[in-house]
Amino acid sequence: LGERRGTRIEAKRRIATAALTLLPPANGSLILDGGSSTAALAELLPGDRPLVAATNSVPIAARLSGSPGITLHVLGGRVRGITQSAVGESTLAALTDLRADVVFLGTNGISAGFGFTTPDEAEAAVKRAMARAGQRVVVLGDSSKLGREHLVRFAAIEDVDVLVTDEEADPAVVAELEQQGIEVLVA
C-alpha cells in the first residue's frame, strides 16, 4: 500500500477530485474500499457536508475518524498487512445488511472482456460484497490499470456504474467500456 501511494500521485489526486462530484448529498452514505485511490478521495472529503461513511481500510478509518461531519463505521475483520484492509467472514457479514448511496472501489485491473479484478480472493470477496451494498458503484482506477487482468474478478462491467480514470487512459479502451454501458469520467 505504501508503494502504491507513492505512484501516480497526481493522477490519483485528479481522479479523487473528479470523484467528489459523485458523492451523495448531505446526510447520504458511502462505502470506501481500501486502496491508494480511495485513500486519495478520503483525503478530499468535505468537512462541511454531513455524511455517513463505512470502510474496511485502517488508514482511511484513521483519516476520517477526526473529520467533522463524517459519521464513521469501521468494518471489522482480519487486517491484511499488504493492503491494511479488513477481509474475511466478519467483514462480509458486516456488509450484508448495508445499503449505501455510493460505493467507491479501487481495482488492480480493468478489462472490457473480464471486468474489474484483483489478485487476492479475500479482497475480491469484500469488494464484491461492497458492490452489492451500493445503490451506485464507482470504481477509481488510474490508466495503468486499463487492459490488465488479475486472478479474481470482483465485478463485471455491468456491475459498475462509473469508472473514474485519468487522461492517460487509452481512448480505445475507454470507448469499449462505454459501449458496454459504463460511464467513464476522465480526470
Side-chain angles (χ1 to χ4, degrees):
L1 183 61
E3 287 177 20
R4 287 197 315 263
R5 277 198 190 130
T7 62
R8 304 187 51 82
I9 295 169
E10 280 307 311
K12 290 174 184 179
R13 189 171 294 128
R14 287 193 311 274
I15 289 167
T17 300
L20 287 173
T21 66
L22 303 171
L23 287 175
N27 300 309
S29 59
L30 61 129
I31 296 174
L32 288 166
D33 176 32
S36 54
S37 295
T38 51
L41 175 59
E43 290 289 327
L44 299 177
L45 287 179
D48 60 349
R49 183 187 309 181
L51 294 169
V52 177
T55 187
N56 66 325
S57 167
V58 174
I60 291 174
R63 164 65 180 93
L64 296 180
S65 65
S67 181
I70 301 287
T71 301
L72 177 64
H73 295 267
V74 180
L75 305 172
R78 175 182 60 86
V79 176
R80 288 188 71 228
I82 194 167
T83 62
Q84 299 176 10
S85 295
V87 297
E89 291 303 316
S90 38
T91 313
L92 296 173
L95 286 162
T96 301
D97 294 326
L98 295 184
R99 186 70 169 158
D101 295 316
V102 185
V103 171
F104 293 95
L105 299 172
T107 188
N108 296 85
I110 305 165
S111 162
F114 192 57
F116 299 87
T117 57
T118 190
D120 185 79
E121 290 176 301
E123 293 276 353
V126 170
K127 290 174 183 290
R128 195 175 299 116
M130 286 180 170
R132 283 194 301 268
Q135 294 181 51
R136 189 165 198 211
V137 178
V138 178
V139 173
L140 309 180
D142 69 67
S143 58
S144 72
K145 313 290 176 71
L146 292 171
R148 296 178 67 187
E149 292 179 357
H150 289 271
L151 181 63
V152 188
R153 178 172 57 186
F154 64 86
I157 297 298
E158 60 268 15
D159 298 329
V160 173
D161 299 298
V162 182
L163 167 64
V164 186
T165 191
D166 63 85
E167 61 192 11
E168 294 178 34
D170 182 338
V173 176
V174 169
E176 188 175 6
L177 291 166
E178 289 175 328
Q179 287 172 355
Q180 292 187 32
I182 188 169
E183 178 185 351
V184 180
L185 292 180
V186 178

